[in-house]
Amino acid sequence: MDHLITDLLNNPKVLETREHMHHSIPKYDHLRRSVKYSARIARMLHADERVCVRAALIHDIDSRAGTLTTHGKIAADWAAAQGECAQVCLAIVSHMFPFGPKPTTREAWVLVLADKAASLGDMKQFVGGLLDGTSMTLRRQLLESDPYYRVKTRRAHKQRLNPKA
Ligand SMILES: [Fe+2]
Ligand SMILES: [Fe+2]
């Protein structure tokens, strides 16, 4: 299904998610897993596969800028600014259901299911890597490479050194 997302796979905003942490693994892994599941579920539910896989790859872009219920809208706005069609943006908005807005299209339901399935897969990936230590090594690397956590951990470290500051 990669031929449906070739352009997005080369988008710097998507590529930078390799350095962002999501569910303790690279966000990119979560997005790729969501793409994989959304393609499968789209075929099962006779939904538009192109819409589903594009929405899946974008759905958590800039998620840190929002909350549990609002980050779908942030990613959808980014998608719209990139010229994605209304169907893709609609699917992204409601991907956190039952948190936030309710899905209104078949493709939106596909993304809800694919995201949940991918999240379970993320957990499996993380737990699997705990046994040989790779998960914790990768997690430490992500804490350093992800600007969001880098700032947070530096601030916490400073606080520990100087609690009154
Ligand atoms: Fe999300
Ligand atoms: Fe997600």
Side-chain angles (χ1 to χ4, degrees), residues 22-23 30 59-61 63 67-68 71-72 92 95-96 115 119:
H22 197 75
H23 304 151
H30 170 67
H59 79 279
D60 277 330
I61 292 281
S63 58
T67 63
L68 194 67
H71 73 267
I92 295 171
H95 79 264
M96 286 304 290
D115 182 38
S119 300

Side-chain angles (χ1 to χ4, degrees), residues 16-22 25-27 64 142 145-147:
E16 74 178 13
T17 63
R18 291 183 296 195
E19 274 144 33
H20 295 171
M21 188 161 72
H22 197 75
I25 63 164
K27 183 185 278 189
R64 301 294 170 41
L142 290 167
S145 65
D146 187 328

